[in-house]
Amino acid sequence: MCTNNILLGMGLQEDYLNLSDHVAYFWESDREFKKAVGFLEVGLRANDHCVIFGYQDANDRVLQVLRELGFEPRQLMESGRLSVLMASATCDETLADIGATFQKAIADGAPLIRLLGNIGWNRPKWPEEEDLLAFESRVTDAARQFPCVVICMYDIRALAGQVVIRGGLECHPVTIRGNVTRINPHYVAVEEFLESQRKRIS
């Protein structure tokens, strides 16, 4: 099952994503950051439920772009069209928070859920890198329970190479870079990824 033109707001009309896809979006300019917010814009102009997930500064930046596009985020949140989430202390808690948000959106009649994540790494009062990697990997399986598309943003200028490789490439079945959407040949299945991570830590 697929949703045609789900990437329309990102300028990728000819492409489509399967429902429940988990995508890594690699960006390196303000223009590309704003282009990613177009993914939410399309949903807000339709009847989708949109979720912004990240650390506070990143969430605020997405909300600012939405304002520039003519939306009033507070009204959207009050009406149940938009949710803004931050990570909890652990991977399990974060997945539970997102799952509860998705379940409520579906119960309220949303046909599709769009999550745009910019989680951030090495932030104070933020989960450790190992837990964020576990979260990113497990999102792929968690998303299969819902009619959703999850796009995780990776600022390749600011992130360490290992984060890009392990978090961006190994944890996401689909990638977007520039105007190209592709099946990711570097993706590592969840159990295999988590096992390799356990071995790295021990």
Side-chain angles (χ1 to χ4, degrees):
M1 183 178 186
C2 68
T3 300
N4 290 310
N5 290 339
I6 199 167
L7 299 178
L8 182 66
M10 298 176 76
L12 300 169
Q13 297 100 314
E14 72 281 3
D15 292 297
Y16 66 87
L17 292 177
N18 289 317
L19 287 182
S20 303
D21 265 343
H22 183 206
V23 183
Y25 175 75
F26 298 104
W27 64 281
E28 56 184 328
S29 69
D30 287 343
R31 182 186 61 81
E32 288 180 332
F33 183 95
K34 291 179 179 180
K35 180 177 170 182
V37 182
F39 166 70
L40 299 181
E41 178 187 11
V42 170
L44 291 171
R45 296 200 188 283
N47 198 32
D48 302 337
H49 185 85
C50 294
V51 180
I52 301 168
F53 173 76
Y55 62 96
Q56 188 67 55
D57 289 350
N59 287 352
D60 288 346
R61 189 174 176 191
V62 174
L63 292 171
Q64 181 56 42
V65 175
L66 287 177
R67 290 186 191 94
E68 292 168 7
L69 291 168
F71 295 101
E72 179 40 64
R74 180 174 294 178
Q75 291 177 0
L76 291 168
M77 287 185 273
E78 289 172 353
S79 67
R81 296 289 318 288
L82 177 69
S83 298
V84 181
L85 303 175
M86 292 182 63
S88 298
T90 69
C91 172
D92 287 341
E93 290 171 341
T94 300
L95 286 170
D97 290 345
I98 291 173
T101 299
F102 281 26
Q103 287 169 351
K104 183 177 186 315
I106 291 169
D108 290 344
L112 178 71
I113 301 165
R114 297 166 180 255
L115 184 148
L116 185 64
N118 192 349
I119 61 175
W121 305 83
N122 303 316
R123 299 276 168 177
K125 299 181 181 178
W126 195 248
E128 296 295 327
E129 183 173 302
E130 290 81 10
D131 213 49
L132 289 175
L133 287 168
F135 164 77
E136 282 283 40
S137 181
R138 290 175 59 193
V139 164
T140 300
D141 281 351
R144 293 188 178 120
Q145 303 172 45
F146 302 99
C148 68
V149 172
V150 176
I151 296 183
C152 298
M153 300 173 70
Y154 282 80
D155 181 356
I156 58 176
R157 302 167 305 177
L159 295 174
Q162 275 297 101
V163 169
V164 171
I165 292 168
R166 301 210 69 222
L169 292 177
E170 294 186 3
C171 293
H172 296 78
V174 181
T175 63
I176 299 173
R177 178 75 191 273
N179 291 322
V180 179
T181 304
R182 58 169 54 104
I183 302 299
N184 177 17
H186 307 290
Y187 171 66
V188 178
V190 177
E191 286 308 317
E192 183 183 345
F193 180 87
L194 294 176
E195 179 59 27
S196 71
Q197 185 164 315
R198 282 190 286 271
K199 289 178 180 177
R200 283 172 186 252
I201 295 170
S202 60

